[in-house]
Every structure is written in C-alpha cells, then in structure tokens.
Amino acid sequence: MSKAQIQMTETIAILIIFFILVMFGIIFFSQIQRSTFEQRSTTAAGERAISTALRATFLPELVCTKGDNVEIRDCIDVTKLKAAAAVIKEHEDYYFDIFQYATVRVEQYYPVETTYLLYSRTRDGNPPNELTTKATTPVPVSLLDPFTGEHYFGVLFIEVYT
Amino acid sequence: MTKAQLSMAFHWIYVFLAGGVILFFFIMIASRQKVASEEQLSVTLAQKLDAIFTGAAQTKQTFEVIELPPLDIYFYCEDDAASYAVGEKGSPRSVPIQPIFAPYKVHAEPRVNVWSVPFRMPFQVINMLMVDAPTITTFLVYDISDLASERLLDVIQEDIPAQFNFVPITKEELYAQSSLSTPQVRLIFLTEIGYEREKLPPFVLGKDPRNVHIVQIEHERAVTYYTMDGNDALSTGTITVIQGFEEHHSLYAALFSNDAASYRCNMRKVFERLIILAEMYEQRANDLKQRYRAVGNQLCELQINPKFAELKEQATLCRDELSTCLAEIYTTAQSIQRNNAFVQQQCAVLY
C-alpha cells in the first residue's frame, strides 16, 4: 500500500469515527429531549387537572346561596346539581370547553349513599375503567337540600383523563 | 508546482470544505433548537397564564399581579373565536368561555395586572377578567367645566384598583404634555375629544397607532373607540354598555377592551353563559314547584314564579345583537330578583 493510500484510509477512518460520534451525540440528545417532552406533558396534564378541578369547585351552577346571591363556600345545592346535570347533558360541547376530558360527580355519603353524575367524557368515548389514566381531585362538600333546609355530607370528585 | 505542493493545496481545500459542511450542520441544529425552544417557551408561558387566568376567574373582585419575564401577550377576540398567544408568532391558546378584556398587545415588563369582576343578572353569571400592564399608561381625561366628566372620574377612581396605571388629567394638561415614558398609552376621554384645534395630544403623534388606544365615554351606556389616523382620530365603532347588577363593571370592561369588536365578542361569551344558567334555573324552579305541590305547600308553589324563560330569550337577543336587548333584560332580571327576595322568606331561594 502506498503512503498516499494509507493517508486516504486514515482520513476516511477519522471521518467515520467522527460521524459515529456525532450520531451518538444526536441519539443521546434526542433521548434527553424525549424524556423532557414526557416530563413537560405530565406537568401540563397535572396543571390542566388543577385548572379543571378549580373550575368545577367554583361552578356557579352548583354553589349554595343565601339572601341575594351570597355564596356559601364548600356547599353544593342538591336541587341545582340535578338541574345542572340535565343542562350540562344538553350543552355538552359548551361544557367540554370547561372540563375537557374528565368526569365530574358528587358522591353523597350521609345520610343516604347516592351518586350524582354531572359530566363525563373520555378520550376514546368509552366509559372509564381502572386502566384509564387520570388525576383525581376529591373535594369534601356539604350538600344542601333547600327544600328541607337539611345539610348532607358528600365529596365532589373531579377526574381528569390525562 | 510540484505534485506534493499540489497535493497539499487540495488537502487544505478538502479540509475547509469538510469543516464548512460540519460547521453548517451544527449551525443548522443550533438554529432549529433555538426556534424549537422559543416555541416551547411560548407554549409553557401560555400554559402558566392559562392556570393563572383560571385561578383569577374563580374569585370575585380580586386583583392579581403576575410577575413575568419581558414578553408580549397578544389577545384576540372577534366573532366567535377568542385566543391569546405569547409572542406574535406564538401558538394561540383558545379561550372559548372566559371573557378577557385587554388591549390587543400587552407588554409584560415586569408584570401583568389581572382584575376579576363579577357579572350578575341577577345571579352570578361569570367573572370578567381585565388585563393590563404597567407598560400602558391610561389617562383619564376630564374637563373641569364638565361636571359629568368629573363625576365619572370619581366613580372610576373609586372602583378601579390603584395598582393600575390610571392617571387623572385635565384636557389642558394632556395637550400640554410633551413626552411619555411607557411604550403604550390609553386615552380615556370622559368628555369631548380634542382641545382648541387639536384632535390628539402632540406626544402621541409620533407613536405607532397600534400602541395608542383612544376611548371616549359618551355617557355611562355608550363608549366610542377611535384609531389614530395621522393627526386625526377616526371613530371605529360605538358600543352600548349593558347595565349589570354591579353598576359599572360592563363599562370598565369596555374601557379595557381593544375595540368595539373585541368588547362585543367577549360580551357574547357572557350572554352565552347567561342563556345556559337561565335554562338551568328555570328547570330548577319547575322542580321546586313540583316538590312543593307534592307536599301540598300551595304558598310556595304559587310564589315561585320567576321569569327565567323570558330572561333566556332576552339573553339570546343580547348575544346576537348587543344593542337590541339591554333595557328589557335588566327589567326582567330585576323582576326575578324581587321574586327571589319575596320567595326566600318562606321557601327555597330561586338562584
């Protein structure tokens, strides 16, 4: 092999090693990017869950009032709850902009166990099961029946599908 | 030239070419990375703003200061589409429900002010958000010989949080002003526009028209928007301000709005919500009546007689054309409020 040929082979070898190193660098970088992207998605989903929970908790459609519309904190009016469930069903697209993919329900525990489903929409359109990934926010609430003036105990569940 | 010399020259040409290609490759990666990270930053900030706006919208009558890096937030609301974006080319974030009254561009340096005010008709409908920044100076222009403008000034100063950069100024002082330290200016005329022969004060003439917002309050129920056209101010539209149960909140919303179209667009969201709530309260009132009938409580059954259906009809008219419905809807809402006050002495509240 002549000297020139050896030099050429050397140059080609250096280039190959260089590009292999660049390739490793790109693969490493893209892996980091991917994991960062996944982390960001998780954070965004968490933030979305908090926003949805906040919207549901302070929904004027549900909150108990006295006098001239003075709100009572952490209290849900049962009669409003029933009417709201029917109206939300009729205006599902409007409420999708508020809750997006989520289930909002109120579970009454005392004196009688009852569940009121307010809103539910999953990404695949099927009812949620135990495999559906979600962030759940339970909010203990007092349930008021203004007809009798009695207060019951329940929990408002906001499940946001991530 | 010997063969060795020629070979050396080619060797260097080869080295420069290869080096150039490699350098170009890295520059390309770096520039793409820069664009991607800018987009990412815009999305991240928009998400943070979304969370902040959601939080602010849940509490009535609150004022929030949001510390932000220097950036521009663009608000857009026209017809049925509403969104905001961080940066002019940032990806827009849709805001279909929440009414946000703000200028087209808010330059956050070092913060953004968010004020949440309730809209009631007569029940709580939604909290409206007003967004502004210290980079916008708002002049409340009044005339000492115009009593109505002075009265309006007192009302506005009493209600609007002091943290907003609102400066009361007489017409004479405004037209004598020569410079302004902030990049954006909003002129709210509580009286007629113009002084002597000048339509606009000299210090705004050198500014980009997009950074000058001119609003004139004709009276408490009408606001006209203007745009700068050379040395003149051209009217771009007049809006009718609805009288809500918090007397001046809709007027303040108009003052923070960019123009007539964005005010109408945001108020449409308010009425859309009012329609749904009126429907819900009507259904609830019917349920209550039935329950009272079932237990033989005729008093409550007869007393519960709210005009929610009428309210819904009028809210639909308001949503479609703001100026056609305003007097009627307020009268109906007052009637519902009276019925609620009467009913709740012995029966359940109506809303």
Side-chain angles (χ1 to χ4, degrees):
Chain A
M1 200 182 267
S2 72
K3 200 181 167 188
Q5 277 175 318
I6 290 168
Q7 266 184 350
M8 186 62 85
T9 318
E10 263 177 19
T11 313
I12 289 168
I14 287 167
L15 275 177
I16 287 171
I17 290 165
F18 174 78
F19 280 112
I20 286 172
L21 287 176
V22 167
M23 216 169 68
F24 272 125
I26 289 171
I27 290 168
F28 179 70
F29 186 66
S30 66
Q31 287 293 334
I32 287 177
Q33 286 285 87
R34 190 187 292 174
S35 71
T36 313
F37 178 75
E38 278 163 11
Q39 273 176 0
R40 278 188 190 136
S41 303
T42 314
T43 312
E47 281 172 3
R48 197 168 59 79
I50 292 167
S51 292
T52 308
L54 209 57
R55 285 190 197 114
T57 314
F58 290 93
L59 215 56
E61 281 91 327
L62 306 181
V63 73
C64 306
T65 52
K66 59 181 178 186
D68 187 20
N69 209 29
V70 179
E71 289 176 6
I72 305 167
R73 299 287 303 263
D74 304 318
C75 175
I76 288 178
D77 185 321
V78 179
T79 53
K80 284 186 182 178
L81 192 60
K82 287 174 186 165
V87 170
I88 288 173
K89 207 170 188 181
E90 254 175 70
H91 301 273
E92 217 171 293
D93 288 346
Y94 181 86
Y95 282 91
F96 176 72
D97 289 329
I98 299 175
F99 300 124
Q100 297 179 352
Y101 295 105
T103 292
V104 182
R105 64 174 200 280
V106 175
E107 286 186 8
Q108 182 184 305
Y109 294 124
Y110 181 82
V112 190
E113 285 194 14
T114 325
T115 299
Y116 301 95
L117 180 67
L118 204 62
Y119 171 90
S120 186
R121 192 186 276 197
T122 53
R123 288 186 183 275
D124 56 7
N126 297 323
N129 54 43
E130 57 271 23
L131 295 175
T132 314
T133 51
K134 63 192 174 190
T136 307
T137 311
V139 184
V141 285
S142 167
L143 300 170
L144 168 71
D145 185 351
F147 185 75
T148 57
E150 286 174 349
H151 282 267
Y152 313 131
F153 175 70
V155 176
L156 167 69
F157 285 97
I158 305 116
E159 291 170 349
V160 178
Y161 304 118
T162 51
Chain B
M1 199 180 264
T2 64
K3 197 179 168 189
Q5 279 174 323
L6 203 67
S7 156
M8 186 58 90
F10 270 110
H11 181 75
W12 278 109
I13 289 169
Y14 170 74
V15 166
F16 278 123
L17 276 177
V21 167
I22 291 163
L23 199 64
F24 176 73
F25 175 72
F26 281 110
I27 287 171
M28 208 178 68
I29 285 186
S31 66
R32 285 189 67 173
Q33 192 57 37
K34 187 173 173 269
V35 172
S37 60
E38 274 171 3
E39 272 175 21
Q40 186 56 52
L41 181 70
S42 141
V43 171
T44 309
L45 283 169
Q47 276 171 353
K48 302 277 177 221
L49 282 175
D50 195 33
I52 290 162
F53 289 150
T54 304
Q58 308 316 317
T59 42
K60 287 180 204 167
Q61 207 72 45
T62 53
F63 181 86
E64 280 194 44
V65 174
I66 308 163
E67 301 289 337
L68 287 170
L71 52 87
D72 293 327
I73 310 169
Y74 289 84
F75 292 91
Y76 174 84
C77 192
E78 213 169 300
D79 300 329
D80 284 333
S83 60
Y84 65 86
V86 175
E88 203 160 13
K89 289 175 187 169
S91 54
R93 208 164 171 82
S94 172
V95 203
I97 308 285
Q98 183 60 51
I100 302 178
F101 299 90
Y104 172 63
K105 183 174 104 174
V106 174
H107 181 66
E109 195 175 3
R111 60 183 185 267
V112 161
N113 301 325
V114 182
W115 184 34
S116 154
V117 293
F119 183 88
R120 289 172 56 208
M121 189 53 84
F123 43 82
Q124 167 70 9
V125 178
I126 202 162
N127 288 324
M128 305 188 288
L129 294 185
M130 325 270 169
V131 181
D132 202 11
T135 50
I136 306 170
T137 303
T138 302
F139 288 111
L140 294 166
V141 190
Y142 66 101
D143 191 341
I144 41 171
S145 59
D146 181 356
L147 281 178
S149 78
E150 284 192 290
R151 198 185 62 82
L152 208 52
L153 177 73
D154 290 341
V155 170
I156 294 174
Q157 278 192 299
E158 201 174 299
D159 286 354
I160 289 188
Q163 293 92 328
F164 281 119
N165 196 5
F166 275 45
V167 184
I169 193 167
T170 62
K171 253 188 188 184
E172 290 81 357
E173 286 167 343
L174 181 81
Y175 284 81
Q177 185 127 351
S178 57
S179 64
L180 185 70
S181 56
T182 56
Q184 280 177 282
V185 61
R186 187 192 284 123
L187 304 174
I188 300 176
F189 285 89
L190 311 176
T191 180
E192 287 293 307
I193 287 191
Y195 180 63
E196 292 178 344
R197 277 181 211 161
E198 290 170 20
K199 192 89 174 179
L200 292 171
F203 73 93
V204 300
L205 298 178
K207 284 190 174 287
D208 181 344
R210 286 177 302 177
N211 291 333
V212 182
H213 306 277
I214 308 160
V215 184
Q216 187 200 356
I217 305 180
E218 312 256 353
H219 51 82
E220 286 181 17
R221 299 279 155 259
V223 167
T224 303
Y225 295 89
Y226 291 87
T227 186
M228 241 172 74
D229 182 38
N231 293 356
D232 206 4
L234 287 183
S235 163
T236 55
T238 299
I239 49 119
T240 313
V241 176
I242 185 165
Q243 184 180 4
F245 276 70
E246 272 80 15
E247 209 183 340
H248 295 104
H249 287 178
S250 309
L251 175 68
Y252 303 147
L255 303 185
F256 280 89
S257 291
N258 189 60
D259 51 26
S262 72
Y263 175 78
R264 285 194 198 104
C265 167
N266 277 303
M267 286 312 287
R268 208 171 288 133
K269 294 186 206 174
V270 174
F271 287 113
E272 186 68 49
R273 186 140 186 82
L274 177 56
I275 292 166
I276 291 172
L277 288 178
E279 193 178 323
M280 190 206 94
Y281 285 124
E282 190 195 359
Q283 203 158 322
R284 180 177 174 274
N286 290 337
D287 289 347
L288 281 173
K289 273 170 91 93
Q290 273 181 11
R291 282 180 75 179
Y292 282 122
R293 191 181 303 139
V295 295
N297 187 341
Q298 280 191 329
L299 181 77
C300 287
E301 189 200 338
L302 293 171
Q303 276 182 355
I304 295 176
N305 198 18
K307 296 176 174 174
F308 286 123
E310 222 169 283
L311 186 75
K312 187 187 163 191
E313 256 174 53
Q314 284 154 359
T316 310
L317 282 174
C318 281
R319 181 195 58 189
D320 299 338
E321 183 51 61
L322 199 57
S323 55
T324 56
C325 63
L326 302 180
E328 293 85 356
I329 198 167
Y330 188 70
T331 314
T332 309
Q334 275 184 318
S335 146
I336 294 171
Q337 190 186 35
R338 277 195 299 272
N339 192 211
N340 185 46
F342 181 63
V343 161
Q344 67 179 283
Q345 289 168 10
Q346 288 174 14
C347 321
V349 285
L350 294 179
Y351 51 82

